[in-house]
Amino acid sequence: MHPESWQLTDDLDDFLARAGGFLRSRPAPHTVPLTVTDTLRRHGQRYHGADAPFFGTLTAADGTVVAALFRTPPSGLYLTAVTARQADALAERLAGLGHRLPEVCAERDSAAEFARAWQRRTGATARARRRERLYRLGELTPPSPAPRGRPRVAGPADRELLIRWYGEFARAIGEGAGRDAGAWADARLSYGGVTLWEAADGTPLAMAGATREIAGQVRVAPVYTPPGLRGRGYAGAVTAEVSRAARAAGAAEVLLFTDLANPTSNALYQRLGYREVADFTVWGFAA
């Protein structure tokens, strides 16, 4: 028997039964699969789109899970860390099954290995679309002086605002297609998962979201300030408040991603006390 084999499934419960321990063993680098699968479990497998997601694990000969993947169409493939050989075996398997992938996201080296393998196996053109950095909160240092205004946890009356701002955020980062902003807002409102920074008269100025705590980690996302209100410190203030609240609620790790093409946001989060964990890359595929 081959020492390792990829197992694919559309059964979320089966996937979590096999991969849950592996994902929880490294909650920071596995933050995305942990939070996405938790959302699917709570809100249904069509939460991210009309097509059913699929999942996979790479299992060693002794049954130990050593890698995992998921895809929630229309989004691309999300992959945990793999070697070149493991990436090639996965590309061969998925291509043989007729899968068409718009992109892959993984830690930098793993993403590059899979992109090369997918290019070899399918003839697709691969291009690095976005480079991201995962940060972990160290000692929180709120902005001083703080900007005018105050934090407030968003409530049902803010639903339309959250829908509009989430749509603007998703389009700005190129992830608008297929996303249901209403479903996102409802899910976040169900547990107080968005905080607003508002002016003294109650006018919302910025927002920061946070995932539910799972495996001891909370990820701050998204952070958004409308274009006309940027550069005034609102994003830093609301991010600091969400980070503080996550820590106060007992999260062992508070995480966030930044776009490495945006030096302003990377510098801001480092000033708040966030420290580098790992770099990730999104590779896009075209026929």
Side-chain angles (χ1 to χ4, degrees), residues 117-213:
W118 191 248
Q119 197 165 232
R120 285 195 305 270
R121 296 290 181 178
T122 67
T125 299
R127 180 176 63 87
R129 286 182 179 165
R130 189 168 68 253
R131 294 177 173 86
E132 301 177 336
R133 179 159 291 165
L134 176 65
Y135 288 92
R136 176 192 288 116
L137 182 61
E139 182 179 351
L140 179 62
T141 306
S144 180
R148 66 184 181 90
R150 63 197 175 207
R152 175 175 64 80
V153 176
D158 301 300
R159 183 177 186 271
E160 293 306 315
L161 174 72
L162 299 189
I163 290 172
R164 184 171 76 253
W165 278 6
Y166 181 76
E168 293 172 3
F169 169 82
R171 287 189 293 273
I173 65 171
E175 294 188 356
R179 294 293 181 100
D180 185 338
W184 174 84
D186 291 338
R188 289 303 181 96
L189 288 169
S190 71
Y191 66 94
V194 178
T195 295
L196 301 173
W197 193 265
E198 64 178 18
D201 65 0
T203 301
L205 303 170
M207 74 171 182
T211 64
R212 290 181 184 268
E213 183 275 325

Side-chain angles (χ1 to χ4, degrees), residues 38-54:
D38 182 64
T39 298
L40 294 175
R41 183 177 60 81
R42 292 175 182 275
H43 300 285
Q45 295 203 43
R46 297 301 200 279
Y47 173 82
H48 289 279
D51 295 330
F54 72 87

